[in-house]
Amino acid sequence: MTTGYLWHTLYGWNDTGSGSLAPADPAAGLQPVSYHFAHADNKRRMHELVQVIGLGDKVRNIPARPATRDEILRVHTAEHHDRIVEESALPKGGDAGDGISPFGKGGYEIAALAAGGAIAMVDAVCNGTVDNGFALVNPCGHHAVRETGMGFCVFNNIAVAAKHAREVLGVERIAIVDWDVHHGNGTQAIFWEDPNVLTISLHQDRFFPTDQGFTTERGGGAGVNTNLNVPLPPGTGDGGYLLAVDSVVLPALRAYQPDLILVACGFDPSILDPLSHTMVSAEGFGAMTQRLVDIAAELCSGKLVMVQEGGYSIHYVAVCGATSIAVLAGEQPMADPFLPLVENMYGRREVEDHQARICKIASELVPDIPGR
């Protein structure tokens, strides 16, 4: 099995400014800080760890390329695209659209490269260059809706790649599994009425955005019953996440029978993430990855593409990501150097009743998913 791997140096140059969750503003008492939560170093460090542990020698590098305007417009409005282009040319750049998602001068070019990187990996998997792949792109994308970016996302990278797979490569049915700790609201909205794309989001309940991501959101029009949400309670760890994968995600994929599986892969459900309250370990991410590798082999000749989303622990993102990439490539993951330090805080390996309850509610919706 050959695994593709994609990184571009410019992903590590994405400028998120001097704020944390809001721009620095002395009048409001907001001091500048060295690191925005979505600072590019979170992902750059993952890439460097992949190289240092020798994993980079076990994968095939796939070159990134920028998405074109037409490719982005398959998902986003011209107004959104063109505003990003205009603000990107300003001396200090602009914002993706919600006031807390800054990008520096030249940010458009990096965002287009992120969307194009997702496309490049989908091309590589679908044309047989590699069996599966991991696109370590930056900035992330799954919150971006058609008309605006939000939540640190400029363009919806995984949606742009899915549209490319459908309209250019002729892939008939696509499933997107989103395990970022925040709801994949943008991807849900973009494919709400599309029966050819199944969207599944595992996320912390009522976290971001707070007003959506519920099990009652099922898709609409021709796409009814092709959207599935699993809003997990705070404190859910490896056991609860694996139960959600086993009882909801895998049965949903078997019901839908996709030709390609995409994963919106955030490492912000981790135990050390500063923006979440779930408790997943690197080992847990590896176990989820293995299950998706196995189901892809069963359903769609192994065609699986993981596209990087969020992850805000400067310490732990790299370890979680390297673990998932190793599993994807069929290699032995590195030992988690942080687990001995956090075992006293990490008591969520077993499933608890309130976690199992939401998995049961979501699993009861699986029979409604339309098959072939």
Side-chain angles (χ1 to χ4, degrees):
M1 182 172 65
T2 304
T3 293
Y5 174 76
L6 184 145
W7 166 263
H8 193 287
T9 300
L10 282 178
Y11 296 149
W13 290 22
N14 189 53
D15 180 7
T16 48
S18 62
S20 52
L21 278 177
D25 182 357
L30 292 170
Q31 302 179 45
V33 293
S34 299
Y35 279 77
H36 189 280
F37 279 114
H39 194 283
D41 273 4
N42 296 324
K43 296 176 183 178
R44 180 190 57 76
R45 289 166 65 94
M46 187 198 306
H47 170 68
E48 292 184 357
L49 181 60
V50 166
Q51 308 311 313
V52 166
I53 65 176
L55 188 53
D57 297 328
K58 306 293 178 61
V59 294
R60 178 166 179 172
N61 288 303
I62 302 299
R65 55 89 166 174
T68 66
R69 183 178 191 271
D70 287 344
E71 288 171 333
I72 293 170
L73 292 190
R74 292 192 184 114
V75 167
H76 294 288
T77 63
E79 291 77 13
H80 172 51
H81 173 275
D82 295 348
R83 181 183 64 79
I84 299 298
V85 172
E86 292 171 4
E87 292 187 8
S88 177
L90 298 174
K92 295 184 179 180
D95 186 273
D98 61 357
I100 61 168
S101 302
F103 57 84
K105 185 174 184 179
Y108 166 75
E109 285 75 13
I110 301 177
L113 192 65
I119 290 175
M121 189 57 75
V122 164
D123 276 338
V125 168
C126 289
N127 67 25
T129 300
V130 294
D131 298 298
N132 57 38
F134 192 102
L136 179 50
V137 302
N138 192 40
C140 51
H142 72 146
H143 292 310
V145 295
R146 291 189 185 277
E147 65 276 8
T148 188
M150 61 184 295
F152 313 152
C153 303
V154 179
F155 301 128
N156 196 310
N157 306 319
I158 205 163
V160 170
K163 283 285 191 178
H164 173 82
R166 284 277 304 134
E167 297 184 18
V168 177
L169 304 180
V171 178
E172 185 177 348
R173 293 166 76 84
I174 298 170
I176 299 175
V177 178
D178 187 330
W179 74 40
D180 188 282
V181 79
H182 306 102
H183 177 231
N185 64 293
T187 311
Q188 171 178 294
I190 288 163
F191 296 110
W192 185 255
E193 296 187 354
D194 189 342
N196 299 301
V197 180
L198 173 69
T199 50
I200 307 171
S201 179
L202 311 182
H203 51 270
Q204 185 176 319
D205 185 24
R206 283 169 283 195
F207 191 32
F208 181 87
T210 58
D211 60 348
Q212 52 191 286
F214 306 118
T215 56
T216 52
E217 297 161 19
R218 308 294 310 285
V224 68
N225 295 326
T226 60
N227 186 78
L228 188 58
N229 287 315
V230 189
L232 295 163
T236 300
D238 291 3
Y241 267 79
L242 291 173
L243 177 62
V245 171
D246 290 340
S247 65
V248 182
V249 176
L250 301 186
L253 293 174
R254 288 191 178 100
Y256 190 70
Q257 295 283 306
D259 302 302
L260 171 67
I261 299 172
L262 308 179
V263 180
C265 177
F267 294 112
D268 41 8
S270 85
I271 185 173
L272 290 179
D273 199 274
L275 290 186
S276 75
H277 305 92
T278 47
M279 308 283 284
V280 180
S281 70
E283 180 184 351
F285 287 114
M288 291 194 290
T289 302
Q290 186 63 63
R291 283 160 165 77
L292 290 171
V293 168
D294 293 343
I295 196 71
E298 174 187 331
L299 299 178
C300 51
S301 303
K303 290 183 173 62
L304 174 67
V305 174
M306 303 178 75
V307 179
Q308 180 65 38
E309 291 289 349
Y312 308 101
S313 171
I314 196 69
H315 310 288
Y316 208 36
V317 165
V319 176
C320 296
T323 298
S324 285
I325 294 167
V327 171
L328 193 64
E331 300 291 331
Q332 180 66 35
M334 66 180 289
D336 181 351
F338 289 102
L339 193 57
L341 304 177
V342 298
E343 280 182 322
N344 288 336
M345 333 164 15
Y346 182 61
R348 300 295 183 181
R349 288 186 179 272
E350 302 302 322
V351 182
E352 298 188 5
D353 289 345
H354 64 297
Q355 300 162 6
R357 191 175 307 118
I358 189 63
C359 292
K360 183 175 187 299
I361 292 169
S363 70
E364 291 171 350
L365 305 176
V366 169
D368 295 332
I369 293 173
R372 288 187 179 275

